[in-house]
Amino acid sequence: MTTAEDLAERVREGDLGLHELEQHADADVAAEARRVLLEAETEADLSTVGAYAFDAADADSNVENMIGAAQVPMGVVGPVRVEGGASSGEYYLPLATTEGALLASVNRGCAAIRRGGGATARVLKSAMTRAPVFRVADVGEASEVVSWVRANEGTLREAAEATTSHGELRGVTPYVVGDSVFLRFAYDTKDAMGMNMATIATQAACEVVEAETPASLVALSGNLCADKKPAAINAVEGRGRTVAADVVLSRDLVADVLKTTPEAIAEANTRKNLVGSAKAGALGFNAHAANVVVAAFLALGQDPAQVVEGSNAITTVDVRDGDLYASVTLASLEVGTVGGGTRLPTQSEALSVLGVRGGGDPPGSNADALAEVIAVGTLAGELSLLGALASSHLASAHEQLGR
Ligand SMILES: CC(C)(COP(=O)([O-])OP(=O)([O-])OC[C@H]1O[C@@H](n2cnc3c(N)ncnc32)[C@H](O)[C@@H]1OP(=O)([O-])[O-])[C@@H](O)C(=O)NCCC(=O)NCCSC(=O)C[C@@](C)(O)CC(=O)[O-]
Ligand SMILES: NC(=O)C1=CN([C@@H]2O[C@H](COP(=O)(O)OP(=O)(O)OC[C@H]3O[C@@H](n4cnc5c(N)ncnc54)[C@H](OP(=O)(O)O)[C@@H]3O)[C@@H](O)[C@H]2O)C=CC1
C-alpha cells in the first residue's frame, strides 16, 4: 500500500508532481503526503489543517493540491420571520466568520425583526451573466456584428441551451468600444449560481457568432460580465439575484432592542450610508452588507470571491409615523443551492438548516429562497450596526466581544 511518506519522498525526488498524487493513492493519503512534505520543508505544524471531518474525495471538484481544510467557526442567528416570494416562515441562518461581535449584532437585528412581526423579501430579477469580447476590424464591422446578434438571438439561444438542461438564455446585450464587441449573455440558471453553466453555454454561442460574423473571440470573459470585480454594471443591471428586504419596527421596539430612536438610525443611515458613501465614491451604500454576505457564503458553500458584487447593496431608512422603516436591496447576489461548494458536507448540512439543499420545486425556488433569507440577514446586520453607531455602542461592543 502506498503511504503518505512514500508519496512525499517521490515528490522530493522529482518522480511525481505535487498535483499528481491522487493518481497513486486515495485523496486522503494524497492530502496527507502534501502535509508531510510541507511540514518537512517549513516550520509548520499542519495537524489541525489535517483534522478535517469529510472524505477528501468529496472535495475533488472543489480544490486541487488539497492539504486539509480551513476551519472557520460557524454560528447561527435567528430565528427570523421572512415573508418572501419563495421563502415563508421562521429561519435560522448559519454564518461562518472570524469577526467577534458580528453574529451577536446580526442576531440582535433578527430579534428586532422577529419581534416586529417579520421582514418582507422578494427576488426582483434573476440573471447570471457572461460577456465575451470579440475583435472586429473597425466600428463599421462592429455595427454589422451587433445587427446580426440582435436579429439572431434565437439561434444563439438554441446553441447555448443545447449545453444545459436547466439554464435558459434570457437575452444578449451588445456593447461596442472601437474595434471590440462585447456580448453580455444573461441566463436564468435556476438553482445553480450558474457561472460554470453560463460559461459553457456562452462558449457554444460564441462558436456560432464566429462562424456567422467577422468577429473573432478574444476572451470568453471580457470583464463586462462582471465577475469578482467591483463594477457599476452589476449595481445598475443586476447579476445573479437582485433581491430586496424591508421591515417596519415600532419606536418602542427600536428603543428596547436597538437602544436608540428611529430618528437617530435614520440620520446615521443618511449621513453615513448615503452621504458618506457618495463622498467616498463607493458602489455599495450600506454599512456592512459584506459581513453578512461573506459569512453566509462561507457557511453555505457559495463562492466567497463573489462577495465583491454580493455586497453591492443600498440601505434606506425612514421614519414613518414615528416608527422605523428600513430596507436593503442587494443588486447582485450570486447564490445557488446546487453545484459549486454546496455539495461539500459541512456546507450541505448548513443549507439543510434553511431547508434549501439541492434543487427546488419548481427549479430556481431554493436559490430564490436562499437569496431572500440572506437579504433579511443583511437587513438585520444593517439595523443592528446602525443602532450601535447611533447609540455609540460600536467600540464598546467590539471591546467586549470582538477581541
Ligand atoms: C453587541 C451588541 C449586539 C450588543 O447589543 P445590546 O443591545 O447591548 O445587547 P442585549 O444584551 O440587549 O441583547 C439584544 C439582542 O442582541 C442579541 N445578542 C446580544 N448579545 C449576543 C451574543 N453575545 N450572542 C448572540 N446574540 C446576542 C440577542 O438577539 C439579544 O436579544 P434576545 O435574543 O436576547 O432577545 C451591539 O452592541 C451591536 O450590535 N454592536 C454592533 C456590532 C457590529 O455590528 N459589528 C459589525 C462588525 S463592524 C465591521 O466589521 C464593519 C464596519 C463597522 O467597519 C463598517 C462601517 O464602516 O460601518
Ligand atoms: N467557469 C467560470 O468562469 C467560473 C466558475 N466559478 C465556479 O463555478 C461554480 C458554480 O457554477 P455552477 O454552474 O453554478 O455549478 P456547477 O458547475 O456545479 O453546475 C451546476 C449544474 O447542476 C445541474 N443542476 C441540477 N439541478 C439543477 C437545478 N435545480 N438548477 C440548476 N442547475 C441544476 C445543472 O446541469 P445542466 O446544466 O446540465 O442542467 C448545472 O449546470 C462554483 O464552483 C464557482 O466557484 C465561479 C466563477 C467563474
Side-chain angles (χ1 to χ4, degrees):
M1 198 186 70
T2 312
T3 67
E5 284 71 21
D6 295 338
L7 283 179
E9 189 51 35
R10 287 180 64 186
V11 174
R12 247 181 245 114
E13 285 168 355
D15 178 34
L16 279 180
L18 202 58
H19 63 283
E20 293 171 331
L21 308 188
E22 280 78 0
Q23 295 163 24
H24 302 272
D26 73 37
D28 288 298
V29 174
E32 188 187 346
R34 292 191 190 94
R35 291 196 301 279
V36 168
L37 215 109
L38 277 184
E39 286 181 332
E41 291 186 15
T42 69
E43 297 291 304
D45 168 5
L46 297 176
S47 51
T48 313
V49 170
Y52 51 91
F54 55 90
D55 291 339
D58 288 344
D60 182 48
S61 57
N62 296 94
V63 70
E64 296 78 34
N65 278 358
M66 177 165 164
I67 59 170
Q71 300 171 58
V72 182
M74 192 191 301
V76 70
V77 296
V80 64
R81 171 161 288 282
V82 181
E83 289 307 329
S87 53
S88 179
E90 301 233 315
Y91 292 87
Y92 286 99
L93 175 62
L95 297 173
T97 187
T98 57
E99 184 176 16
L102 176 61
L103 268 82
S105 178
V106 184
N107 204 33
R108 178 169 78 152
C110 288
I113 293 171
R114 180 173 66 244
R115 288 173 55 183
T120 305
R122 292 288 186 279
V123 170
L124 305 165
K125 189 174 177 185
S126 181
M128 178 46 77
T129 55
R130 187 41 106 202
V133 56
F134 297 85
R135 182 191 326 109
V136 290
D138 52 27
V139 293
E141 203 167 273
S143 157
E144 222 179 277
V145 172
V146 167
S147 300
W148 184 90
V149 168
R150 289 202 171 118
N152 292 279
E153 204 172 286
T155 311
L156 295 178
R157 178 170 298 107
E158 207 177 303
E161 291 183 1
T163 66
T164 167
S165 54
H166 287 84
E168 291 169 14
L169 181 63
R170 284 280 165 88
V172 186
T173 309
Y175 297 85
V176 172
V177 181
D179 61 355
S180 295
V181 176
F182 299 81
L183 300 178
R184 195 169 191 256
F185 289 76
Y187 298 88
D188 178 352
T189 58
K190 307 296 177 189
D191 290 306
M193 177 275 278
M195 244 321 30
N196 279 339
M197 182 201 280
T199 302
I200 294 163
T202 302
Q203 170 75 53
C206 286
E207 285 163 18
V208 178
V209 173
E210 284 196 294
E212 299 295 329
T213 77
S216 297
L217 181 66
V218 175
L220 188 51
S221 167
N223 273 15
L224 226 114
C225 313
D227 196 41
K228 304 181 177 174
K229 273 86 59 181
I233 194 164
N234 294 335
V236 178
E237 293 294 325
R239 187 167 198 263
R241 261 83 180 169
T242 302
V243 58
D246 65 4
V247 70
V248 175
L249 300 179
S250 72
R251 173 171 291 273
D252 287 350
L253 195 49
V254 171
D256 194 31
V257 184
L258 301 177
K259 317 292 188 296
T260 184
T261 61
E263 288 79 7
I265 291 189
E267 182 177 11
N269 188 67
T270 302
R271 293 187 192 271
K272 168 191 171 61
N273 286 347
L274 305 186
V275 180
S277 300
K279 177 68 176 165
L283 274 178
F285 286 59
N286 61 77
H288 66 145
N291 262 338
V292 179
V293 170
V294 78
F297 276 23
L298 289 174
L300 299 162
Q302 312 302 308
D303 188 330
Q306 290 179 325
V307 71
V308 173
E309 47 271 43
S311 55
N312 204 334
I314 299 179
T315 300
T316 71
V317 179
D318 281 321
V319 181
R320 287 190 185 172
D321 300 327
D323 296 333
L324 178 86
Y325 169 84
S327 79
V328 66
T329 304
L330 297 115
S332 40
L333 187 68
E334 294 139 340
V335 291
T337 58
V338 301
T342 68
R343 8 170 209 247
L344 288 168
T346 50
Q347 287 77 355
S348 168
E349 285 175 17
L351 282 167
S352 66
V353 170
L354 289 169
V356 297
R357 185 168 66 175
D361 182 16
S365 56
N366 272 358
D368 281 349
L370 176 58
E372 289 173 351
V373 178
I374 292 176
V376 173
T378 306
L379 178 64
E382 292 294 278
L383 283 167
S384 183
L385 177 51
L386 285 171
L389 288 165
S391 58
S392 300
H393 282 157
L394 180 65
S396 58
H398 282 261
E399 262 165 15
Q400 282 166 25
L401 289 169
R403 55 200 319 225

